Amino acid sequence: MKKVYFDHNATTPIHPKVRSAIEPFLGEKFGNPSSIHWAGREVRAYVEEAREKVASLINSDPSEVIFTSCGSEGDNMAIKGVLMGNLKKGRHIVTTVVEHPAVFRTCKFLEDFDFEVTYVPVDSYGMIDPDDVRKAIRKDTVLISVMFANNETGNLFPIKEISAIAKENDIVFHTDAVQVVGKIPIDVKELGVDLLTASGHKFNAPKGIGFQYIRKGVKILPLISGGHQERELRAGTENMLGIVAIGEASQIAKEEMNEKSRHIGYLRDRLEKGILETIPYTVINGHPEKRLYNTTNISFKFIEAEALLVMLDMNGIAVSTGSACSSGATEPSYVLQAMSLDPLCSRGALRFSLGYGNTEEDVDYCLSVLPSLVEKIRKMSPFYKK
Ligand SMILES: *Cc1c(COP(=O)(O)O)cnc(C)c1O
């Protein structure tokens, strides 16, 4: 059976060049980079080389890049670390209702410890208004955390504007850029962000590695205390495989960004247009323009998205719903709920996210099987009358 992977916002395949770059670290290059002897010295340089490659991808100074284990760690580090480092200033956070759980649930966790959080709403396109962020600011606001792009809709948020608002008010600004790093150009200096979180497995490095940009001068405490690694901001013997991999993935992303965005953008548009034109009662969720080029979130009305997901899977096509299956009952995704979507739409929403390795044949295969699957499910729906 043909296999098609349209779930790159969940995770991505490892790039073959990344795989060859880490090969030696599964063998002879096993040293601990903190060791003074030859085995340590041999690998030390690779850590700094990777840091330079990451820094070059986001236009930061290498000293402002800290390696972490994943995006979730980065989000936790930014939020908990900045609050713990600025307790004298206050205990208030401003964030949005559509953050990834790594941010959202970290904020919820902190509420149990007497921190206060304001969740800025989104409109029906799933966009936030920078003015709402401004209005949420209080005297005791320590941190604003707003994601760069939403993982479910692909919406791109006005990070530069929000960053300027944070600066005017002398508040630290963090952005979860996990869905953006490696996809579109990022310049942390131009954006003016204080902290930025990224995850390797979302841009063709393996799982278990991420990085955090921390602007020089930001007050932050570590999540993980211990040895002197990573400027004492993240203890633990370095994950050499991961670090080398994310360095290589950063270099590849930078070199191939233009070509990738053109190619993947073309495929996404072809898929989206094909679906809208051949399948009735379909709508796109998210902002029509301010959206990542690889993502499309489409509602198939009169359908339970899970049923369609399973049938696509039986045909070798991997996609995703944003919904969480809790205690057997599926709840529509909280992101789509926050957009106040008609339940008819939110129940039937599927996310297709494209990326490295996808081809025109993938798209055309999907377009060839999708209409009949949708029709089959709709025929079983008591609400659907054609
Ligand atoms: C995947 C993702 C994360 C979590 O990253 P992990 O490396 O899986 O922990 C955080 N934020 C966003 C927006 C994501 O898409």
Side-chain angles (χ1 to χ4, degrees):
M1 185 175 54
K2 185 170 170 60
K3 278 190 176 168
V4 173
Y5 187 75
F6 283 160
D7 201 11
H8 287 81
N9 288 9
T11 197
T12 61
I14 298 173
H15 195 288
K17 281 192 207 159
V18 170
R19 185 176 170 163
S20 2
I22 61 182
E23 198 78 31
F25 296 85
L26 288 161
E28 77 275 10
K29 293 198 189 346
F30 62 87
N32 181 331
S34 299
S35 301
I36 294 165
H37 48 63
W38 59 266
R41 284 199 313 274
E42 188 175 64
V43 298
R44 179 81 243 165
Y46 286 93
V47 177
E48 296 322 316
E49 194 184 312
R51 206 185 303 280
E52 278 163 26
K53 288 175 180 172
V54 168
S56 156
L57 181 65
I58 58 169
N59 193 32
S60 76
D61 193 90
S63 68
E64 297 170 311
V65 171
I66 297 291
F67 291 114
T68 61
S69 70
C70 62
S72 300
E73 183 189 328
D75 286 333
N76 272 265
M77 176 194 200
I79 297 168
K80 292 175 182 164
V82 167
L83 285 159
M84 295 302 282
N86 294 273
L87 282 174
K88 279 197 191 113
K89 194 183 169 205
R91 304 176 73 88
H92 181 239
I93 310 165
V94 176
T95 185
T96 79
V97 292
V98 293
E99 296 298 311
H100 186 276
V103 167
F104 185 70
R105 300 197 65 189
T106 300
C107 288
K108 285 283 169 205
F109 172 88
L110 288 170
E111 285 185 76
D112 291 340
F113 292 89
D114 296 328
F115 290 90
E116 291 181 58
V117 187
T118 302
Y119 301 90
V120 171
V122 292
D123 63 18
S124 61
Y125 287 125
M127 287 305 278
I128 59 164
D129 183 348
D131 250 355
D132 287 337
V133 174
R134 191 194 302 277
K135 283 179 209 148
I137 292 172
R138 312 191 321 205
K139 264 204 188 69
D140 60 342
T141 305
V142 175
L143 177 74
I144 298 175
S145 180
V146 174
M147 70 200 319
F148 204 143
N150 184 267
N151 41 301
E152 289 190 32
T153 58
N155 274 4
L156 283 158
F157 289 154
I159 292 309
K160 204 173 164 179
E161 278 106 307
I162 298 165
S163 154
I165 292 169
K167 194 161 283 158
E168 276 165 37
N169 291 277
D170 200 22
I171 296 166
V172 178
F173 179 51
H174 164 247
T175 187
D176 172 341
V178 171
Q179 287 299 342
V180 179
V181 170
K183 291 194 183 107
I184 60 174
I186 292 182
D187 182 334
V188 288
K189 297 210 171 90
E190 196 213 314
L191 289 169
V193 299
D194 295 309
L195 300 111
L196 178 144
T197 299
S199 174
H201 76 94
K202 300 289 175 83
F203 68 107
N204 309 112
K207 291 143 195 76
I209 186 71
F211 73 82
Q212 183 91 317
Y213 161 76
I214 307 177
R215 189 181 57 74
K216 235 178 238 116
V218 169
K219 270 197 220 155
I220 181 167
L221 293 180
L223 270 191
I224 304 176
S225 306
H228 301 297
Q229 296 91 351
E230 302 298 299
R231 296 186 12 241
E232 302 200 355
L233 282 172
R234 206 279 184 179
T237 299
E238 290 84 346
N239 170 3
M240 288 306 303
L241 286 165
I243 290 171
V244 169
I246 205 168
E248 188 69 18
S250 297
Q251 185 174 346
I252 296 165
K254 191 174 172 176
E255 286 166 5
E256 299 181 356
M257 197 168 285
N258 286 339
E259 169 56 20
K260 184 180 174 185
S261 59
R262 199 195 52 73
H263 175 61
I264 302 301
Y266 163 76
L267 294 181
R268 193 281 308 265
D269 290 348
R270 184 181 175 92
L271 176 68
E272 195 169 87
K273 202 161 158 260
I275 292 173
L276 295 177
E277 278 173 2
T278 59
I279 306 177
Y281 306 112
T282 46
V283 284
I284 293 172
N285 302 312
H287 195 278
E289 289 109 42
K290 293 170 194 155
R291 217 163 29 122
L292 285 171
Y293 58 77
N294 81 310
T295 307
T296 184
N297 189 310
I298 300 187
S299 282
F300 299 83
K301 294 188 196 178
F302 310 105
I303 268 186
E304 293 287 333
E306 284 71 22
L308 186 53
L309 182 145
V310 169
M311 286 174 87
L312 282 168
D313 184 30
M314 290 193 291
N315 285 274
I317 302 170
V319 299
S320 152
T321 66
S323 47
C325 186
S326 50
S327 63
T330 48
E331 274 276 300
S333 121
Y334 66 97
V335 173
L336 302 180
Q337 286 191 52
M339 291 157 67
S340 307
L341 241 56
D342 174 352
L344 198 62
C345 286
S346 55
R347 303 196 78 85
L350 274 193
R351 177 187 73 187
F352 302 77
S353 51
L354 282 61
Y356 174 78
N358 282 144
T359 62
E360 200 161 306
E361 289 87 79
D362 291 347
V363 170
D364 293 346
Y365 171 65
C366 183
L367 288 173
S368 74
V369 301
L370 199 49
S372 62
L373 297 182
V374 170
E375 194 53 33
K376 214 184 246 171
I377 303 171
R378 279 181 178 163
K379 278 205 180 115
M380 295 186 272
S381 163
F383 305 108
Y384 181 59
K385 293 185 184 62
K386 204 177 173 185

